[in-house]
Amino acid sequence: PPDVLVLPKVESADDVAWLSGQLERHWRRPPSGPNSAVPLILMIESAAALLAMPQILDSAMSASRQRGLLHPVGCVFGSDDFCASVGVERSRDGLETRHARAQFALAARSRRLLAIDMVEIDIKDVEHLKRQCNEGRAMGFTGKQRLCEEFERHSSAGAGAFVFDGQMIDMPTVRQAQSLLAQHRALLALDEAALGGGAGGGKPA
Amino acid sequence: PPDVLVLPKVESADDVAWLSGQLERHWRRPPSGPNSAVPLILMIESAAALLAMPQILDSAMSASRQRGLLHPVGCVFGSDDFCASVGVERSRDGLETRHARAQFALAARSRRLLAIDMVEIDIKDVEHLKRQCNEGRAMGFTGKQRLCEEFERHSSAGAGAFVFDGQMIDMPTVRQAQSLLAQHRALLALDEAALGGGAGGGKPA
Amino acid sequence: PPDVLVLPKVESADDVAWLSGQLERHWRRPPSGPNSAVPLILMIESAAALLAMPQILDSAMSASRQRGLLHPVGCVFGSDDFCASVGVERSRDGLETRHARAQFALAARSRRLLAIDMVEIDIKDVEHLKRQCNEGRAMGFTGKQRLCEEFERHSSAGAGAFVFDGQMIDMPTVRQAQSLLAQHRALLALDEAALGGGAGGGKPA
């Protein structure tokens, strides 16, 4: 079974039931035994989906208890499709999604799921990125999508450069983002080694 | 049949069902045939109505599919009655309705209906009007009520001057608003003529 | 019967039904006759409870009509537990609860109940307190919790000093708050005496 399943454009409780039914019918080696259910992430990408979130999440959790194939762990706010569904333009400070994101975070957290905030592509302006992250954190978000994930989605679909949020994203931009992420992971690994290595968790020399 | 029906003070899904039932019983020459249903606009004017919007709209659309008399096209946010229902005072910048209007726009747009923002009476301060319009637009509103509609409602009820938003609205104010609207319509007509007349859609000399 | 019952940590409509059932079974001298039902205040203290408020309140009002033991009069927003349920930290200006409180006030007011805003402990900074009160008022709140109520809760549980909102609350702070409240009540009594004593409701010399 895969490490995680991401269900895009969930619109109603029926969509989750449909996925569970498909898996039950077609999965040759379904996960079995305790704690073997595949983690499921739901993408909420329209006003209708946002308003139906409590029903969608309850349906997903109920299907999880009954069938044991999938286990909902988090929700992602898909800002571009969301804005298109409402008919608003995305702006840099994201005022147009503030109400919706606050409502999204409440709904995800009310069911103790991870709440993943919208993608931020402007990773060069660190102060801006920090403001956006802090705003999401105060709303209850537990994580945030980054440019690299977008790229992986596009490159796995065979595309090179792609347009995101109205900006052309080319390879140098992607490489910069990947390098930032690699640094971040290296720092995390150092921290873990330091913490795991005892001696008060001090920084390695 | 009338061009459009406006149902004020909708409070629950029952109200829409009631209207449909009344029309079915009393309409002598009901609309018949495809696309003949009368466009229906729902006025949402209380906290209870706002919270019940998804159910109200689903009920209206379901009645539309079943009976074919009415066809929901949009919702209007009635700010004065809304503020009275919650017990808040209307202010110039409208902070007290911001959350409710954002929620209203999401609900209307989630069912692909027009979302008409609250009335703005201060049409002299253009910068203020622009801010209010932009704020509504970012929330997903597709239109905004103006003073003239208020006047038409009052004058059709036989009143002359009237109080709106705590301000006395007299005939000069109404005439100014009507003149502005007439100019706007004239400009729209010019634009359409220019666009329809070919030659690149340039402005007529 | 008690003057009022406060039900903390209401999570779903079942909780209110449970309380009604318990009272019906164990209340030796239940209130009887018209208008004898005990006023009930519901504390909403999690994201799940906030999203379920319409159902919780409808259930409480329905139980009230059927059994006549309890009569819902208001809701309290429990900010500390709410923030813990969402996983956000409380800040001084309360940005992290703004969306939730606006939604809470709408839900309470939609059922014509009192909406009691979160506790403010910083009673020394009057300007800050005023801003917080005005913000709540614009949202539809009809009242606000103060430090003294917190103290009464803790002292009735046998505690002396206690931690609230990450601050140690000692007896001098409590006494200052109680003195402020006593002054407020004295002023209210003076006002009432002046209004009741006729002569235009002027201030007593």
Side-chain angles (χ1 to χ4, degrees), chain C residues 178-197:
Chain C
Q178 287 174 330
S179 147
L180 201 68
L181 199 58
Q183 281 174 44
H184 173 68
R185 282 178 185 145
L187 281 170
L188 275 187
L190 275 177
D191 277 356
E192 275 170 27
L195 288 167

Side-chain angles (χ1 to χ4, degrees), chain A residues 54 98-100 102-103 105-107 109-112 137-141, chain C residues 47-51 82 84-89 95-97 99-100 103:
Chain A
R98 201 167 282 173
H99 180 94
Q103 193 68 24
L106 280 185
R109 300 302 294 150
S110 77
R111 269 66 178 173
R112 305 193 177 282
R137 195 178 158 193
M139 287 175 176
F141 281 101
Chain C
L50 177 68
L51 294 181
F82 176 84
S85 90
V86 177
V88 295
E89 285 161 44
L95 266 175
E96 68 287 347
T97 55
H99 180 92
Q103 193 67 23

Side-chain angles (χ1 to χ4, degrees), chain A:
Chain A
D3 287 345
V4 67
L5 262 175
V6 178
L7 186 59
K9 293 186 181 293
V10 184
E11 283 293 302
S12 74
D14 296 342
D15 294 345
V16 181
W18 173 88
L19 177 66
S20 298
Q22 291 292 315
L23 289 178
E24 207 162 44
R25 232 166 296 145
H26 301 294
W27 217 334
R28 285 191 183 186
R29 290 182 220 164
S32 63
N35 300 319
S36 66
V38 173
L40 173 66
I41 290 178
L42 303 165
M43 292 195 70
I44 302 297
E45 312 189 66
S46 74
L50 177 68
L51 294 181
M53 264 183 90
Q55 291 80 43
I56 290 171
L57 301 185
D58 288 348
S59 161
M61 292 194 296
S62 161
S64 161
R65 276 189 301 271
Q66 282 167 30
R67 310 183 192 227
L69 298 181
L70 297 171
H71 167 60
V73 293
C75 302
V76 167
F77 182 75
S79 55
D80 277 25
D81 283 327
F82 176 84
C83 285
S85 91
V86 177
V88 295
E89 286 159 44
R90 270 203 67 175
S91 69
R92 190 169 142 83
D93 63 1
L95 266 174
E96 68 287 347
T97 55
R98 201 167 282 173
H99 180 94
R101 284 161 60 225
Q103 193 68 24
F104 171 94
L106 280 185
R109 300 302 294 150
S110 77
R111 269 66 178 173
R112 305 193 177 282
L113 300 178
L114 297 173
I116 314 296
D117 206 353
M118 60 182 181
V119 177
E120 180 60 53
I121 59 152
D122 188 352
I123 54 170
K124 288 168 196 164
D125 183 343
V126 176
E127 281 310 308
H128 171 73
L129 181 58
K130 212 170 155 182
R131 264 198 312 277
Q132 296 296 314
C133 289
N134 282 336
E135 186 186 274
R137 195 178 158 193
M139 287 175 176
F141 281 101
T142 55
K144 190 164 176 67
Q145 299 169 83
R146 298 281 172 86
L147 180 57
C148 297
E149 301 173 25
E150 255 335 276
F151 169 70
E152 280 159 28
R153 218 169 64 167
H154 277 85
S155 64
S156 70
F162 60 99
V163 174
F164 189 75
D165 260 2
Q167 281 191 243
M168 174 61 72
I169 309 296
D170 52 13
M171 283 312 293
T173 309
V174 170
R175 285 212 189 94
Q176 192 178 19
Q178 286 173 331
S179 147
L180 201 67
L181 200 57
Q183 282 175 43
H184 173 69
R185 282 177 185 145
L187 281 170
L188 275 187
L190 274 177
D191 277 355
E192 274 169 27
L195 288 168
K203 278 187 187 171

